[in-house]
Amino acid sequence: MSTNELNLPDFNIPSELDGKVAITTLDRVYNFGRRSSIWPMMFGLACCAIEMIAAQAARYDMARFGMEVMRPSPRQSDVMIVAGTVTKKMVPAIVRLYNQMPEPKYVVAMGACASGGGPFKEGYNVVAGIDKFLPVDVYVPGCPPTPQALVAGMIKLQEKIDKQSISKVRWYQKGGDSVEVAVPFLGPDLIDPRRIPEIKAKAAELATPSAQNAPEK
Amino acid sequence: MESTHKSNMATPVLTETIDLAAKFPGRVTPDARPGYSGWMVAKEALVEVSTAIRDELGYDLLSNVTGVDYPEQSKLEVVYHVYKTTGGPALTFKTQTERVDPAEVPSLVSVWPGAELQEREAWDMFGIKFTGHPDLRRILMWEGFEGFPMRKDYKEPFHEEDNKPLKSRWPEGKHSYAEARNPYGDNIMFKPGFDPEKWTPTDPEEALYAALKKYKTEEKDGIKTDHIIVNMGPQHPSTHGVFRAVVVLDGETIVSLKPVMGYLHRNHEKIGERNTFLQNVPYTDRLDYFNSMYNAWPYALAVEKLMGLKVPERAEYIRVIMGELSRIQNHLILFGMLWNDLGAYFTPALYAFEERELILDIYEAVAGSRMMCNYQRFGGVVRDIDEANMKKIKDLVFERLPRKIEEFDRLLSENEIFVARMKGIGYLSPEDAVAYSVTGPTLRAAGIPYDIRRADPYGIYDRFEFDIPVRHNSDLLDRYLVRVDEIRQCLRILQQAVKQIPEGPFLAGKPQYQVRVPAGEVYGRVEAPKGELGFYVISTGKGNPYRYHIRTPSFINITSVEKMCVGTKIADFVTILGMVDIVLGELDR
């Protein structure tokens, strides 16, 4: 980072110390470190994963922005790029992977499927977007997004990181432990544990004769 | 080296006519429904008839097994397509069963072991119970899922209308979210009165672990040893996506292995049967997402056959050019990823991606998208190749790619570590390869020169001069070398094609959104880079396919993985799986 980026403009540094001393805030240094080494999880679901690999390869070279270290283990990664269609059979594993990531952690939904189901939304085994389960930071549109689009999305994530403050981030708050999402499980259909009471009430309501006679739509 | 490993398989001419009905009177009848062909076999005689088809008639390769649901006739049908590995057209036979639960059909795993996963799929999707199947479990959905999704009366939670195009939302201009149509506000459906709190979870994995080979723990020299079960995937860097394999290990040696799939089951077939014929073309791109240029070809072939469309000359050439470029980049990526799996992390892959980007540039210029080209149409292609792109292609196929392939070969193929890791590993005997319905380079590395471009030519492949590369050791190294040779042959085809391509129209008739497809059934297949890719389409003369089944090479080639892996080390499993060349979009569909 050049001194100009790091320095706060309000402080004048004597010319003999120029380039040797910088006066800045803790937030800036902290965020600079984090945003310059975002390690994505090596985790591809579908077609978008191939464009994610292409973005890592020579021509697009995400390493220029400090995002080249793909980690196969969630324990070592900072950002989960959900690259592809999320299916009901796969979503328990994805949520478990997210829970295993240490804070600070981010989620990028890459492509139409991960953002909202995409062309496969109507399918019986498809989850209409990973944001039904995980908090998404950046959505990258496209089917699949080009490598440029993914790089642009990751730069947006960097901008988001730049705006965070060490005194306010949730992982340094009192009692603010790592965010855990309840892992959905596979029953007769996908069951989200957070919605069990709701599902129970609705199923009971549908079982009453009046609901069966009433038009559905 | 090259000249000794090729086959000049000639296209066979079929002279004999087969009359199964005369051979098995009373048990086999011709399928007389209009537009249909093949034979209807009584299900009691199925095993006997298929054994005769295999042994007496010589149809040794079971290509495709699928179910079809006919609720009006209250029947469930199973369709089989079999081929000879010496070439020639298909023999189609079918069997029907009453549409009651359980609908039972005898399993053909004892005749063609390659039926194993396909029959499991038919059980999962249609609820057809195959008696005598060694391991009949759900395959794409999970154990415990309610309903058989491919039956015609199954409606998805987000079901809107039976068929597309959906009713116009104008003039009111109202739209609604799919979530609003579902009582649970999400893509889920439960029986009325379902209580998630009282529901006792049955472990969906239990049946899977029960299906693994049983083993005995033993005591050797006073040390108690045990086998361990390792789950690889669905999130594992070497499984090329969300594939999962459960392996039983004795030390490092694989004792038993079960593939687990469905983690990317995107319901192509169900969506495809709601779509109009043309709407399916972009979906085919997302099957094998490396080869979107090749995937729609068999589908276009199938529908063109039903429609009786003649594809213009130029379009045929464009299909060959795009298809063969696709094969080159597919194999290059495979090599890159193979080296990744072997431990040479990413450097060879970077070389592979460099060439791939150049081919994708052409795709992007011609079709508008790098990966999902949506390029084929019924009766041709959607856009022409202009002069500038033609020049780019010529530069690639005459100058750059031949040089680069040799560079790849020189740099990598004789590397000592590479050869040590590849030679003699993952053997599959030619008999087993055919029995397990393996197609593509894996079959050709086992010494069987079966390539559909020669065995049952489509398009204009009969015009080009090229060889079918064959190797005989059937190990990983041979599978690799067959692919290297195949790239050289692709270049030969390409060089002829770009020289010969005529001027003229690139699409028969005028472009239309809604095509009229006469009623009937058809099976179109091509030699895709990964093996035989086929589309089984039934039309009832309406706007949507009645049945739309995709026979994908990845899915069926995976049947033989256990056979290849047992006895090898766990580290070799990664390489063996890599060389089967699976892609998950196609494996799970």
Side-chain angles (χ1 to χ4, degrees):
Chain A
M1 188 195 260
S2 69
T3 350
N4 288 344
E5 265 178 87
L6 198 59
N7 264 334
L8 285 182
D10 304 341
F11 297 92
N12 290 324
I13 297 166
S15 58
E16 65 267 28
L17 290 176
D18 194 28
K20 297 188 180 79
V21 167
I23 298 175
T24 184
T25 62
L26 196 53
D27 274 346
R28 275 198 177 198
V29 177
Y30 175 68
N31 288 337
F32 166 70
R34 293 193 311 128
R35 56 116 68 196
S36 310
S37 63
I38 303 175
W39 291 6
M41 184 149 69
M42 191 194 271
F43 167 65
L45 291 175
C47 336
C48 290
I50 310 305
E51 288 296 60
M52 186 170 74
I53 299 169
Q56 298 280 2
R59 191 189 272 184
Y60 301 99
D61 195 14
M62 286 224 299
R64 290 176 295 161
F65 309 99
M67 308 159 184
E68 81 280 21
V69 194
M70 302 284 275
R71 297 278 95 181
S73 163
R75 305 275 184 209
Q76 303 168 342
S77 5
D78 302 309
V79 55
M80 174 192 252
I81 303 178
V82 185
T85 314
V86 182
T87 61
K88 288 180 187 173
K89 204 171 173 180
M90 189 63 195
V91 76
I94 298 175
V95 172
R96 201 165 289 136
L97 284 169
Y98 177 77
N99 288 345
Q100 287 172 350
M101 284 167 68
E103 290 281 6
K105 54 185 170 187
Y106 301 92
V107 177
V108 172
M110 180 184 184
C113 292
S115 302
F120 298 100
K121 179 169 178 175
E122 62 197 280
Y124 50 85
N125 191 30
V126 175
V127 174
I130 191 61
D131 54 5
K132 299 237 156 123
F133 291 92
L134 305 183
V136 175
D137 294 279
V138 177
Y139 296 88
V140 182
C143 188
T146 56
Q148 295 97 316
L150 178 64
V151 173
M154 294 298 279
I155 290 172
K156 277 271 171 258
L157 180 65
Q158 288 186 327
E159 285 168 13
K160 183 167 182 169
I161 291 173
D162 278 340
K163 285 185 191 127
Q164 289 180 321
S165 167
I166 199 167
S167 60
K168 292 196 186 104
V169 288
R170 65 165 184 271
W171 50 92
Y172 288 140
Q173 301 300 308
K174 245 185 205 153
D177 216 345
S178 179
V179 175
E180 289 234 352
V181 178
V183 179
F185 54 97
L186 301 171
D189 209 322
L190 186 75
I191 302 173
D192 185 345
R194 298 170 298 184
R195 294 190 58 208
I196 282 180
E198 204 183 320
I199 290 171
K200 186 180 170 182
K202 199 77 209 175
E205 188 194 317
L206 288 176
T208 56
S210 61
Q212 277 167 1
N213 297 334
E216 247 187 56
K217 287 158 202 171
Chain B
M1 182 166 111
E2 199 190 332
S3 58
T4 56
H5 295 290
K6 62 191 181 191
S7 145
N8 285 316
M9 177 186 190
T11 306
V13 186
L14 194 77
T15 46
E16 52 171 353
T17 48
I18 296 157
D19 192 356
L20 281 179
K23 206 169 157 64
F24 300 96
R27 285 163 292 173
V28 181
T29 47
D31 189 352
R33 292 170 290 181
Y36 286 61
S37 58
W39 306 93
M40 193 63 82
V41 182
K43 71 173 180 179
E44 295 75 28
L46 188 65
V47 175
E48 182 202 349
V49 171
S50 15
T51 312
I53 288 173
R54 183 193 64 180
D55 295 340
E56 288 165 35
L57 302 175
Y59 285 88
D60 46 358
L61 186 78
L62 174 75
S63 162
N64 181 38
V65 181
T66 185
V68 187
D69 183 18
Y70 292 102
E72 275 109 54
Q73 290 91 358
S74 185
K75 295 275 187 203
L76 281 166
E77 186 175 286
V78 186
V79 185
Y80 303 86
H81 290 88
V82 286
Y83 288 91
K84 292 178 179 177
T85 44
T86 47
L91 178 75
T92 313
F93 60 98
K94 294 148 201 179
T95 190
Q96 285 193 336
T97 183
E98 290 302 317
R99 199 171 180 276
V100 286
D101 285 321
E104 287 186 343
V105 167
S107 165
L108 287 187
V109 175
S110 58
V111 186
W112 288 289
E116 190 191 336
L117 296 187
Q118 304 192 63
E119 286 186 351
R120 273 178 69 187
E121 189 199 346
W123 156 247
D124 190 0
M125 297 289 122
F126 290 93
I128 301 168
K129 197 158 197 169
F130 290 90
T131 47
H133 190 285
D135 182 22
L136 197 66
R137 287 176 290 122
R138 284 207 175 243
I139 184 164
L140 297 175
M141 302 306 286
W142 59 90
E143 212 56 54
F145 178 75
E146 217 161 64
F148 298 110
M150 284 308 292
R151 288 197 180 180
K152 285 285 169 193
D153 51 8
Y154 178 91
K155 287 188 168 53
E156 307 94 314
F158 278 169
H159 175 262
E160 187 169 357
E161 278 169 50
D162 277 344
N163 290 321
K164 289 178 191 168
L166 302 173
K167 279 190 205 87
S168 172
R169 294 187 167 95
W170 294 93
E172 293 91 5
K174 275 187 208 149
H175 82 285
S176 65
Y177 288 103
E179 278 84 349
R181 283 195 300 277
N182 182 292
Y184 297 96
D186 203 351
N187 195 3
I188 45 174
M189 192 53 86
F190 299 99
K191 273 195 180 139
F194 171 74
D195 186 350
E197 282 163 353
K198 290 208 184 103
W199 174 75
T200 41
T202 46
D203 187 4
E205 310 282 76
E206 212 169 278
L208 164 67
Y209 292 120
L212 289 164
K213 207 171 128 194
K214 300 289 170 294
Y215 52 83
K216 272 199 302 228
T217 54
E218 51 195 51
E219 211 162 311
K220 262 191 222 154
D221 311 325
I223 302 166
K224 216 175 158 196
T225 62
D226 204 350
H227 294 194
I228 50 169
I229 296 176
V230 176
N231 269 288
M232 292 182 83
Q235 205 291 106
H236 190 278
S238 70
T239 54
H240 299 237
V242 286
F243 181 71
R244 172 177 165 208
V246 184
V247 279
V248 178
L249 295 178
D250 177 16
E252 270 191 79
T253 313
I254 296 174
V255 181
S256 173
L257 180 148
K258 284 280 170 198
V260 189
M261 50 194 91
Y263 294 99
L264 190 58
H265 178 46
R266 300 192 278 195
N267 331 125
H268 272 275
E269 293 185 5
K270 189 76 181 176
I271 295 174
E273 285 170 18
R274 302 231 188 275
N275 278 349
T276 65
F277 281 93
L278 192 62
Q279 279 174 338
N280 277 334
V281 174
Y283 281 89
T284 61
D285 293 344
R286 286 154 182 83
L287 283 167
D288 172 1
Y289 31 78
F290 285 110
N291 297 303
S292 68
M293 279 292 187
Y294 227 108
N295 289 343
W297 196 344
Y299 178 55
L301 274 181
V303 177
E304 279 157 11
K305 216 187 277 176
L306 276 180
M307 293 168 71
L309 263 182
K310 177 96 183 70
V311 182
E313 280 286 284
R314 188 173 171 84
E316 290 278 22
Y317 275 94
I318 294 178
R319 281 181 180 182
V320 169
I321 292 171
M322 291 301 170
E324 294 304 314
L325 281 175
S326 176
R327 195 187 306 274
I328 292 174
Q329 58 90 16
N330 176 74
H331 288 352
L332 282 174
I333 295 289
L334 174 76
F335 298 162
M337 292 302 155
L338 171 74
W339 281 80
N340 258 6
D341 292 344
L342 288 171
Y345 188 66
F346 229 76
T347 307
L350 286 178
Y351 276 74
F353 266 90
E354 193 184 348
E355 305 315 309
R356 178 176 186 258
E357 288 293 340
L358 295 173
I359 295 173
L360 291 197
D361 279 350
I362 293 171
Y363 288 178
E364 192 173 11
V366 170
S369 174
R370 284 157 50 85
M371 271 174 77
M372 305 305 174
C373 301
N374 190 8
Y375 192 55
Q376 312 266 357
R377 291 292 180 273
F378 309 127
V381 294
V382 68
R383 265 175 228 100
D384 203 358
I385 309 182
D386 62 10
E387 266 315 301
N389 286 313
M390 210 55 194
K391 183 164 182 314
K392 267 195 207 165
I393 295 172
K394 277 181 186 153
D395 287 348
L396 265 187
V397 301
F398 284 106
E399 302 287 332
R400 183 167 172 115
L401 284 177
R403 199 174 72 234
K404 285 286 168 181
I405 299 315
E406 297 315 316
E407 184 185 281
F408 231 87
D409 194 24
R410 204 171 57 244
L411 273 177
L412 305 176
S413 301
E414 281 166 38
N415 180 303
E416 204 175 327
I417 302 170
F418 178 71
V419 173
R421 284 291 307 271
M422 304 282 281
K423 204 164 189 171
I425 309 287
Y427 177 73
L428 185 71
S429 73
E431 296 78 25
D432 279 344
V434 175
Y436 280 97
S437 305
V438 173
T439 49
T442 315
L443 184 63
R444 292 191 283 276
I448 296 168
Y450 181 71
D451 186 320
I452 301 167
R453 291 177 293 175
R454 268 289 152 71
D456 188 10
Y458 52 93
I460 48 164
Y461 275 112
D462 47 358
R463 291 185 200 171
F464 300 115
E465 212 174 276
F466 65 102
D467 301 313
I468 309 296
V470 170
R471 300 256 166 176
H472 300 275
N473 295 325
S474 194
D475 58 359
L476 292 179
L477 188 64
D478 273 13
R479 284 171 210 153
Y480 166 81
L481 291 171
V482 158
R483 287 180 167 102
V484 176
D485 291 342
E486 231 172 81
I487 297 183
R488 295 196 179 103
Q489 298 303 326
C490 285
L491 288 170
R492 263 178 86 187
I493 298 174
L494 278 167
Q495 287 165 356
Q496 294 167 53
V498 292
K499 272 186 195 154
Q500 294 169 11
I501 183 167
E503 289 297 325
F506 52 90
L507 185 63
K510 61 173 194 286
Q512 45 188 342
Y513 288 113
Q514 187 64 298
V515 291
R516 267 177 220 291
V517 183
E521 58 152 15
V522 69
Y523 183 61
R525 59 171 195 154
V526 298
E527 184 71 31
K530 292 175 165 68
E532 177 181 336
L533 176 65
F535 280 73
Y536 177 66
V537 180
I538 298 180
S539 167
T540 49
K542 299 204 180 94
N544 315 73
Y546 183 78
R547 181 81 183 98
Y548 168 78
H549 174 71
I550 312 152
R551 182 254 190 247
T552 57
S554 298
F555 175 60
I556 290 152
N557 288 356
I558 213 80
T559 322
S560 64
V561 158
E562 179 170 14
K563 194 94 190 160
M564 289 188 224
C565 285
V566 169
T568 59
K569 305 284 184 222
I570 179 85
D572 293 326
F573 161 70
V574 172
T575 341
I576 292 171
L577 187 72
M579 280 318 267
V580 176
D581 199 3
I582 56 164
V583 58
L584 267 292
E586 189 179 77
L587 189 86
D588 292 339
R589 280 151 293 147

